[in-house]
Amino acid sequence: MADEINLKQHTINRRTFLKAASIGASAITFGNALATFPATAEAATFYKGADISWVPQMEAAGYYWLNSSGVKEDILTILKGYGINAIRLRTWVNPSTDPVNGHCSIDETAAMAVRCKNAGLPVDIDFHFGDTWNSVGKQNPPAAWASMTYSQMLTAMYNYVYHSCNVLKYNGVTPAWVQIGNETNSGICHPIGSISNPAQMTGLLNAAYAMVKEVFPSTPVLIHLAQPQNSSSIEAFFNAYTANGGNWDISAFSSYGSGSSTISTIISNINTYKSTYGKPVMQVEFGGQENRASRTETDLESYITGMKSIGGLGVFYWEPEVYSPFTDYTMGAWGSTTFEPTIALNGFLNA
């Protein structure tokens, strides 16, 4: 589908853009207009969300979902019944066809985003800037970018995000949020965009930010970091990013810590980051062991209550719909033998 899209020649002066991105400028000249990207105000709605990027691959393999009454139903319908009102979807650059570790190309992600839109669910698009998983412990560039210089990678980033956003727009989807990178504590696209090269890291992320804003001017852009309990890692990233003119609208976090004391510390830390860096905050990943569903339910309630108490924007459960043997990931919220949701999802209702 994407190959059929006629992406018209845009009016950005590329030399100006690349120069601005390389120094982390917060405003870039588009033609004769100066585009500035202010932080987005916190929304009145609190979002209870789920990342369900595995759904198309599960369905293609014959998996299905029962609701809590044992009746087969569309997964989006079931999730909405728990008060879930937003969906997160990842996308990779040139993924394999592996059902667990591949797919999620921008075409596939756009198709799933259309399905969510038709169900009345806003979407958060999560760019990993890789061909498969990137996370707090791994930030590999797409294979096609691996041997690029910084200048070449800036151009690749510019073109990739611009094109991907236009695929979404072509399909009638305006994302509610876009994440530029996944758990980027150590930067992106190592080694070029590593945090040890902070100006280059910032330049690449600013390039992504600018292209999201050109296609979707009103869509908030998220920076996503893992383990908010590790304040040294979070502060190291944000300090480097801000020092080099980094642009973002919302600070987003992956938080899997369990227990009231741990969660209290995490919420307190997130509140500190909100105050220190002046951006609204959101929790875009949470999960708990399927065999400890009662504990996960309690933890989910605690995160939602805690994020609400500090004016947070929402909490997302990561892949609650998954169950074995599709994958060996054990932190979903569906019974592997019953095919029904566990009580973990009641946390969305009880909070």
Side-chain angles (χ1 to χ4, degrees):
M1 181 279 298
D3 290 339
E4 299 175 1
I5 298 175
N6 180 17
L7 296 179
K8 66 180 181 180
Q9 181 65 35
H10 41 83
T11 60
I12 294 175
N13 181 315
R14 179 169 298 186
R15 181 176 299 173
T16 300
F17 167 77
L18 292 177
K19 180 180 179 182
S22 67
I23 62 174
S26 59
I28 298 172
T29 301
F30 293 84
N32 296 318
L34 184 66
T36 57
F37 307 135
T40 301
E42 294 178 53
T45 300
F46 187 87
Y47 289 95
K48 299 177 180 181
D51 187 316
I52 56 169
S53 302
W54 268 324
V55 161
Q57 292 81 259
M58 292 182 71
E59 289 176 331
Y63 289 84
Y64 59 90
W65 297 270
L66 305 182
N67 62 26
S68 58
S69 298
V71 177
K72 185 177 179 181
E73 221 172 5
D74 181 82
I75 184 60
L76 295 178
T77 301
I78 298 174
L79 292 174
K80 288 173 71 175
Y82 284 93
I84 287 174
N85 58 0
I87 298 296
R88 180 174 181 252
L89 301 171
R90 63 179 164 269
T91 191
W92 292 327
V93 180
N94 292 304
S96 73
T97 57
D98 183 313
V100 174
N101 304 302
H103 290 278
C104 299
S105 67
I106 190 56
D107 288 347
E108 293 171 306
T109 298
M112 188 63 190
V114 169
R115 182 173 164 186
C116 294
K117 176 187 174 182
N118 291 340
L121 293 165
V123 295
D124 170 20
I125 300 298
D126 176 15
F127 284 107
H128 277 239
F129 301 134
D131 295 332
T132 188
W133 309 104
N134 274 325
S135 63
V136 65
K138 180 177 69 174
Q139 290 292 333
N140 292 330
W145 301 8
S147 61
M148 289 181 177
T149 64
Y150 171 57
S151 178
Q152 291 169 333
M153 194 174 287
L154 265 180
T155 300
M157 178 69 77
Y158 163 89
N159 290 332
Y160 168 65
V161 176
Y162 181 79
H163 171 76
S164 296
C165 287
N166 272 288
V167 171
L168 293 164
K169 186 175 182 178
Y170 177 87
N171 280 276
V173 174
T174 297
W177 312 272
V178 172
Q179 290 179 221
I180 50 173
N182 190 76
E183 298 187 337
T184 60
N185 302 53
S186 65
I188 62 170
C189 298
H190 289 184
I192 296 294
S194 169
I195 196 171
S196 60
N197 296 311
Q200 294 183 176
M201 175 190 78
T202 303
L204 290 171
L205 290 169
N206 273 354
Y209 181 96
M211 292 302 95
V212 174
K213 293 294 186 176
E214 188 189 354
V215 182
F216 300 117
S218 299
T219 294
V221 175
L222 280 60
I223 286 291
H224 172 208
L225 304 177
Q227 301 169 356
Q229 63 270 35
N230 184 355
S231 58
S232 61
S233 173
I234 302 297
E235 291 168 357
F237 175 89
F238 279 136
N239 290 343
Y241 195 51
T242 56
N244 286 275
N247 295 310
W248 84 105
D249 302 321
I250 296 172
S251 301
F253 303 95
S254 301
S255 308
Y256 289 83
S258 178
S260 60
S261 177
T262 298
I263 294 172
S264 178
T265 297
I266 288 171
I267 296 298
S268 177
N269 283 8
I270 291 175
N271 194 36
T272 297
Y273 309 140
K274 179 186 176 188
S275 174
T276 301
Y277 301 103
K279 306 292 184 181
V281 292
M282 178 182 285
Q283 182 176 345
V284 293
E285 289 187 23
F286 163 82
Q289 292 295 334
E290 179 192 333
N291 62 3
R292 299 178 64 212
S294 179
R295 164 57 68 184
T296 301
E297 176 188 8
T298 300
D299 288 343
L300 179 56
E301 292 177 26
S302 296
Y303 275 115
I304 292 173
T305 301
M307 289 297 288
K308 283 183 174 180
S309 75
I310 64 170
L313 302 179
V315 173
F316 284 65
Y317 200 118
W318 197 82
E319 298 284 10
E321 85 291 356
V322 75
Y323 59 90
S324 66
F326 177 76
T327 173
D328 59 4
Y329 182 71
T330 60
M331 298 180 74
W334 237 265
S336 298
T337 57
T338 66
F339 311 129
E340 297 178 11
T342 70
I343 63 172
L345 289 187
N346 289 341
F348 282 117
L349 299 173
N350 297 338

